[in-house]
């Protein structure tokens, strides 16, 4: 199971991994549709949409097509993207505790052998997703009995943001200060880069807004971290 902030992040960041693990589940946190009457945002207009509702319908369709290309299955949670949480039409920002609870319930229901979540760089939604996933992992880890099967939890580099100067290092330093230490974890799977590229292309509205060269990072090697039972974070690049 890959936890994705938005309807594209899992493929942008983990497309090769998904191609190597058929039948994976991709759960997108901020896939909710704003209440009727919500105004169109600057980003949605750049993507070619006339309303927030039109944007979310199209983006879910793009996500379904991309994941079908990789043999994965979408699960869309109904939390709102931060661009829609301006208070208009009753749209308010979700809380990390509520997201963590939903993720924990989803993991219990789906019983994956691994859960991947974003390192949480730059974007406020990515940071919120990261904090919620850490909370869900920590809560579940405290409830697992000796000998009871439990999924491996991994963190992945946020494509498009991971190359921004110092952001990854700041995140790792902050985690280290909170007692979560990093060490190299080798990537052992062989992904299909062509399949990932085809899946990335399915997000046509987003690629339009990013512009030429704005999503080149999706073609670079993916990077991951693994959380062990002792709460240590193992880094992989």
């Amino acid at each position: 199971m890959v936890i994705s902030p938005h309807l594209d992040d899992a493929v942008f960041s983990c497309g090769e991994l998904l191609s190597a693990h058929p039948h994976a589940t991709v759960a997108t946190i901020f896939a909710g549709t704003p209440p009727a009457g919500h105004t169109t945002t600057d980003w949605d207009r750049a993507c070619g949409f006339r309303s927030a509702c039109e944007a979310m319908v199209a983006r879910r369709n793009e996500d379904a097509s991309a994941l079908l290309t990789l043999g994965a299955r979408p699960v869309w949670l109904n939390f709102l993207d931060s661009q829609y949480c301006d208070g208009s039409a009753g749209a308010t920002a979700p809380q990390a505790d509520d997201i963590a609870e939903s993720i924990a319930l989803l993991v219990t229901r789906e019983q994956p052998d691994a859960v991947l979540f974003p390192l949480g760089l730059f974007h406020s939604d990515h940071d919120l997703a990261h904090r919620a996933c850490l909370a869900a992992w920590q809560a579940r880890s405290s409830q697992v009995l000796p000998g009871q099967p439990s999924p491996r939890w991994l963190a992945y580099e946020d494509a498009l943001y991971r190359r921004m100067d110092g952001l990854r290092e700041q995140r790792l330093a902050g985690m280290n200060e909170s007692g979560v230490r990093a060490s190299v974890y080798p990537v052992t799977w062989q992904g299909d880069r062509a399949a990932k590229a085809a899946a990335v292309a399915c997000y046509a509205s987003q690629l339009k807004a990013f512009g030429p060269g704005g999503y080149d990072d999706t073609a670079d090697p993916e990077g991951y971290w693994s959380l062990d039972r002792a709460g240590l974070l193992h880094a992989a690049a």
Side-chain angles (χ1 to χ4, degrees):
M1 176 184 292
V2 178
I3 308 297
S4 184
H6 302 115
L7 293 160
D8 58 23
D9 292 311
V11 170
F12 285 3
S13 302
C14 308
E16 287 190 45
L17 178 142
L18 290 169
S19 73
H21 297 82
H23 312 299
T25 299
V26 173
T28 301
I29 296 173
F30 304 107
T33 300
H38 196 285
T39 58
T40 308
T41 65
D42 290 341
W43 179 259
D44 283 348
R45 283 189 290 271
C47 294
F49 299 121
R50 295 167 296 181
S51 71
C53 182
E54 179 187 22
M56 292 311 300
V57 169
R59 295 198 65 190
R60 285 190 177 197
N61 288 337
E62 290 174 346
D63 193 50
S65 296
L67 297 184
L68 181 63
T69 299
L70 297 173
R73 177 175 64 91
V75 173
W76 299 316
L77 303 183
N78 288 317
F79 297 103
L80 293 182
D81 186 314
S82 59
Q83 67 175 325
Y84 301 134
C85 297
D86 57 3
S88 65
T92 58
Q95 301 299 308
D97 288 347
D98 294 332
I99 297 172
E101 182 178 0
S102 291
I103 291 170
L105 290 172
L106 184 62
V107 171
T108 298
R109 186 187 77 191
E110 298 289 335
Q111 293 293 305
D113 56 3
V115 180
L116 295 94
F117 63 95
L119 197 54
L121 306 178
F122 181 70
H123 196 296
S124 62
D125 284 341
H126 286 238
D127 176 65
L128 180 56
H130 172 81
R131 290 187 286 111
C133 288
L134 273 183
W137 167 73
Q138 291 167 346
R140 285 185 56 84
S141 296
S142 66
Q143 298 168 0
V144 175
L145 299 175
Q148 183 179 0
S150 179
R152 175 184 293 273
W153 287 68
L154 303 115
Y156 60 82
E157 291 183 345
D158 309 56
L160 310 188
Y161 303 133
R162 58 184 174 158
R163 304 308 182 197
M164 292 182 175
D165 287 346
L167 288 187
R168 180 173 59 181
E169 291 71 22
Q170 290 172 17
R171 173 64 80 191
L172 294 175
M175 297 180 77
N176 186 61
E177 290 176 1
S178 67
V180 182
R181 294 178 291 170
S183 60
V184 174
Y185 177 83
V187 174
T188 58
W189 55 84
Q190 183 64 46
D192 186 335
R193 291 191 175 185
K196 177 178 179 177
V200 167
C202 291
Y203 299 101
S205 67
Q206 306 309 294
L207 303 188
K208 176 182 178 181
F210 286 129
Y215 53 94
D216 288 351
D217 183 49
T218 62
D220 288 346
E222 299 169 357
Y224 299 90
W225 285 260
S226 173
L227 289 166
D228 65 22
R229 294 179 184 175
L232 303 180
L233 190 70
H234 300 289

